[in-house]
Each structure stands twice: as structure tokens, then as C-alpha cells.
Amino acid sequence: MEVLLFIVHFGVFFGYICGLYYDVKPPKGSEYEVAYWAFGGRFKYLTFLDMLLQCGYFGLCVANDLFGSEAKIQKQQSALQKYRDWLFTTLVFPMGLFVSIIFWGLYSIDRELIFPATLDLWFPAWLNHVMHTLPAIGVLIEVFMVQHTYETGVKRFKPIVAAYFMYLFWICYIAYFGGLWVYPVFEVFDVTGRTIFFAALLFPNLFFVLLGQKIHTTVWGADEEGKKDRKTE
């Protein structure tokens, strides 16, 4: 086990644990109280769901550091390492970048569309950064520190596409039966504009899958051993 890698993994994991444990709630009687508690509380927010994903992933990394492997050849990899690599390359990396970039991108344009200023009165800044900044920092550190085995072809996109449509269904369900959109930005568009916006959000996710693989190849080189090993199976 590499001590530095374990410390980094445990540090990021602990940061997410703190974020999840701190169950921030809107003040009673505020404009956010009804919306917060409707249809699943925090579980309707992509940033919270991503925090669960990132926390679970870095917890898995800690487990792999202690009990798994860091083998380059696929046949020598433990089950923990294989699942860690699959999860990171198909979901954790693209979702982490997506949440951070989309959030801070909209925030810089007009924060009222994504995180109204009135939230600052009760939503702590450190938690905001755990949810919206740490995902990008964590996955970028991970891709530079750990060599992963990547899927090839169309199957590397299937998990992120499935996750995207599941969440899209979830927020549309909330809007239809609860009468509210999870994020204020969705209220700005009409039906056509909203549909185009939803469709456009899929492409950054697909791009981030490819970007993660490109960065990995640049840092670690082509996975020649992995390719040879997959061909023999």
C-alpha cells in the first residue's frame, strides 16, 4: 500500500463524510422549506446524489488500498480494483467534472439560476465547496495519481447515459407531480427550450468520459498490457 495514496483517498473520503453528515436544512418559514422537503429532500438534487457517488467511490479506494491491488495486468487485479476502475472511468470522473463545471459555470453567469444569494444566509460556504468544488478536484487528483483500466468502445458510455436519463426522469417526475423544478434555471425556459437544454446536457457527460481517458493516456501512456490481456480473454 502506498501511504500517500491512502492519505489522499482517506482525506477526500472524510471530506465527503463530513458533507453528508452535516444535514443542513432551510430555516422554518423560509421560501425554501417546502421545496426542500418535497419529494425526497436532498435526494432530488444532483449535487447531493453526486456527493453520495463520490463518497462511495473514495471509500472504495480506501478499501482497495488496504485489501485490494494495484496490478497493471487485468488478470492479476483484485475484484476491488476492477470495480474501482470501472466506477471511476464510467461514472465518477465524468459526473464529478460535470457537477463542478455546470454549477460554477451557471453561477458565474447568474447565480440566481442555480444557487440564489439568499441561500448564503443558512447554507455554509464550506459545504457548498464540498458539494460543488471537491468533485472536480478529487477526480483530477485521482486520474493523475492512480493508473486505471478503461473500458473501450460504446460500453464505456452506457453507465453515464443510463445515469443521465434516470436523473432526467426523476426531476421531470418531481416537476409533474410536485409542481416544482429542482433548479430555478429550468423555470426560465418554455417546454421547447427546456427539452433542448436537457438534451444538450448529455453531451458534456459523454465528452468528460473521453476527456478522462485522454488525460489518463497522456499521464500514464497507452494501456498496452490491458489491451493484450483483454484480447486473450
Side-chain angles (χ1 to χ4, degrees):
M1 179 185 69
E2 294 186 19
V3 177
L4 177 60
L5 188 59
F6 174 79
I7 292 174
V8 171
H9 283 156
F10 184 81
V12 177
F13 174 62
F14 182 75
Y16 282 122
I17 288 292
C18 291
L20 291 170
Y21 179 77
Y22 190 86
D23 187 13
V24 61
K25 298 180 179 67
K28 290 185 178 180
S30 70
E31 59 182 307
Y32 301 104
E33 185 180 18
V34 175
Y36 178 86
W37 290 111
F39 288 90
R42 293 192 293 175
F43 289 91
K44 62 177 167 287
Y45 299 108
L46 179 62
T47 48
F48 180 74
L49 296 175
D50 177 65
M51 188 161 64
L52 286 173
L53 173 67
Q54 301 293 329
C55 183
Y57 171 75
F58 282 98
L60 178 64
C61 288
V62 171
N64 185 71
D65 291 339
L66 294 173
F67 310 110
S69 64
E70 287 294 343
K72 303 298 185 294
I73 300 176
Q74 201 169 37
K75 288 182 178 179
Q76 298 175 359
Q77 295 173 355
S78 66
L80 280 173
Q81 183 185 351
K82 289 180 180 178
Y83 183 63
R84 181 204 67 180
D85 288 359
W86 176 85
L87 190 62
F88 179 76
T89 58
T90 60
L91 282 175
V92 173
F93 183 88
M95 189 69 73
L97 279 190
F98 178 84
V99 165
S100 293
I101 291 176
I102 294 299
F103 176 85
W104 290 113
L106 289 173
Y107 189 99
S108 65
I109 296 171
D110 182 359
R111 67 168 298 179
E112 297 301 315
L113 296 174
I114 193 75
F115 197 83
T118 51
L119 289 174
D120 294 340
L121 298 175
W122 55 273
F123 199 98
W126 70 266
L127 183 58
N128 185 18
H129 285 293
V130 168
M131 297 181 72
H132 303 120
T133 307
L134 185 57
I137 294 175
V139 299
L140 288 173
I141 290 175
E142 177 73 1
V143 79
F144 279 96
M145 290 190 69
V146 180
Q147 185 172 0
H148 298 89
T149 299
Y150 273 76
E151 296 282 356
T152 58
V154 177
K155 59 184 177 181
R156 59 186 158 172
F157 300 111
K158 290 181 179 180
I160 196 67
V161 171
Y164 171 82
F165 281 106
M166 287 173 63
Y167 185 69
L168 182 58
F169 172 81
W170 176 225
I171 60 176
C172 289
Y173 176 88
I174 293 172
Y176 184 80
F177 289 100
L180 63 96
W181 286 103
V182 174
Y183 296 104
V185 64
F186 299 136
E187 299 175 1
V188 176
F189 301 106
D190 58 14
V191 175
T192 301
R194 197 177 295 128
T195 302
I196 295 173
F197 185 73
F198 284 150
L201 288 178
L202 176 61
F203 295 100
N205 286 285
L206 301 178
F207 171 74
F208 292 145
V209 173
L210 295 175
L211 179 63
Q213 192 165 12
K214 178 64 176 178
I215 295 174
H216 181 273
T217 302
T218 301
V219 174
W220 298 98
D223 185 20
E224 297 298 332
E225 289 293 335
K227 289 179 182 177
K228 292 178 182 177
D229 191 59
R230 283 191 288 270
K231 288 178 181 179
T232 60
E233 293 182 340

